[in-house]
Amino acid sequence: MRSPIVLDLDDSVGPLPGGSIVSLRAWEEAIRFGCSLRSLRHLVTAIGPVLPREHGTVFLGSGDFHHLTWPLVERVPGDGPLQVVVLDNHPDNMRFPFGVHCGSWVRRVAMLRRVSQVHVVGITSQDIGRAHAWENYLGPLRSGKLTYWSTGVDVSWASRLGLAARFRAFADARSLVDAFVGSQRGQKEPVYLSIDKDAFAPEVAMTNWDQGVMTEADGAAIIGALRDRIVASDVTGEISLYRYRTWWKRRLSAMDGQSEPDAAMLREWQAQQHSFNLRLLSLLK
């Protein structure tokens, strides 16, 4: 098992066996929720010398940092085809005019030459419903490089645009997981796996975003189906308390439905998260 790494931007990830920590607290305000492409490039340059080329699962902290998956995918050794699987309650393929943020990065990954397919699995968010259809980047869907796997969302609008094959909708999480696992049988391409714990129900791991309905067993089934092909992975969705100094981040995060964690419950929820992280690591080894 390769050693896990914590990119410590918000002090939310507990100690991991054999893990190492890259301290990045000074970058929290600049990177959290969203940032300019220039700021992201500066961060990547800063961590390049201290991040080993070969390492285990990377823990990113809060889901507010999920856009860091993009440069991590770019770092995967080799140049052959790579499939990216994202467990997430949101498509993370939404329009964002100010650079990149935690809900827009999937488009950037789908544009990478070596990425053959991106699957976002576990969506229950209305981000892919009719009312928010215009906010989704359609390019990756039309190209056939991006597929949404959802439950409980009316995505009938996609058929009118000829995108029905890119929207796999199911009545419940069990049906979704069974179908996704079945679709992966016999595939040989290496996989980058990104896990945002907001794909799971709150009783599995409480986050500070609206959450999906997947059980821990659902996650284990998906990881089991991919495990022999996973070449790199990350985990995000920790819960942490932060108040933005930047006005537009305060406004946009509120508009996105992000809730501020209950400070009195924070330690208990972080303990729950830590326990889940350890179980995820045992599955990813």
Side-chain angles (χ1 to χ4, degrees):
M1 177 179 179
R2 292 178 296 174
S3 299
I5 289 182
V6 178
L7 298 186
D8 181 22
L9 289 134
D10 65 347
D11 194 28
S12 64
V13 182
L16 303 171
S20 57
I21 298 173
V22 178
S23 180
L24 299 170
R25 296 301 306 279
W27 290 86
E28 183 171 11
E29 175 70 23
I31 302 298
R32 189 167 184 141
F33 183 75
C35 61
S36 67
L37 299 183
R38 181 182 180 185
S39 292
L40 185 62
R41 285 194 297 269
H42 285 171
L43 174 63
V44 171
T45 299
I47 65 177
V50 294
L51 190 62
R53 190 63 177 168
E54 298 286 341
H55 53 74
T57 301
V58 179
F59 286 77
L60 303 175
S62 166
D64 296 345
F65 302 108
H66 205 174
H67 43 303
L68 295 183
T69 295
W70 172 23
L72 290 174
V73 171
E74 290 185 309
R75 284 178 55 90
V76 174
D79 56 8
L82 180 69
Q83 188 177 145
V84 178
V85 176
V86 186
L87 305 190
D88 205 308
N89 188 45
H90 308 89
D92 285 5
N93 180 48
M94 310 300 281
R95 298 182 186 277
F96 184 69
F98 309 114
V100 63
H101 86 318
C102 56
S104 72
W105 64 272
V106 160
R107 167 178 169 266
R108 301 283 183 171
V109 168
M111 290 169 62
L112 296 175
R113 180 187 58 81
R114 70 175 298 198
V115 171
S116 61
Q117 181 69 206
V118 182
H119 295 282
V120 184
V121 183
I123 302 170
T124 69
S125 167
Q126 292 301 316
D127 284 351
I128 63 170
R130 185 189 309 274
H132 297 278
W134 66 274
E135 295 178 59
N136 287 256
Y137 286 113
L138 298 183
L141 295 160
R142 285 178 170 146
S143 72
K145 290 187 71 174
L146 173 61
T147 303
Y148 295 156
W149 297 72
S150 68
T151 179
V153 186
D154 180 2
V155 294
S156 57
W157 64 271
S159 297
R160 296 185 177 88
L161 299 181
L163 297 174
R166 305 272 65 85
F167 286 70
R168 303 292 306 277
F170 299 86
D172 54 65
R174 186 69 260 168
S175 300
L176 182 156
V177 171
D178 288 345
F180 180 75
V181 167
S183 75
Q184 291 294 311
R185 291 195 185 101
Q187 295 207 30
K188 301 186 183 302
E189 284 184 353
V191 169
Y192 185 106
L193 176 63
S194 180
I195 300 174
D196 188 334
K197 287 177 284 186
D198 70 13
F200 295 92
E203 56 266 26
V204 178
M206 176 65 74
T207 76
N208 56 322
W209 288 95
D210 56 300
Q211 295 192 230
V213 296
M214 287 176 55
T215 66
E216 188 168 339
D218 292 333
I222 291 172
I223 294 171
L226 301 173
R227 183 162 43 214
D228 292 342
R229 296 158 47 214
I230 295 173
V231 294
S233 57
D234 67 56
V235 175
T236 186
E238 311 298 324
I239 189 164
S240 60
L241 185 62
Y242 187 74
R243 292 183 175 89
Y244 296 103
R245 297 193 298 273
T246 310
W247 71 267
W248 65 265
K249 290 190 178 187
R250 290 196 302 270
R251 182 169 182 106
L252 288 181
S253 63
M255 289 172 61
D256 271 354
Q258 187 179 30
S259 59
E260 184 174 294
D262 182 339
M265 293 292 294
L266 187 61
R267 183 171 297 181
E268 180 178 329
W269 287 334
Q270 287 183 335
Q272 176 207 39
Q273 286 269 13
H274 179 62
S275 178
F276 189 33
N277 285 342
L278 297 179
R279 297 194 298 276
L280 285 173
L281 270 179
S282 71
L283 293 172
L284 291 166
K285 65 181 179 181

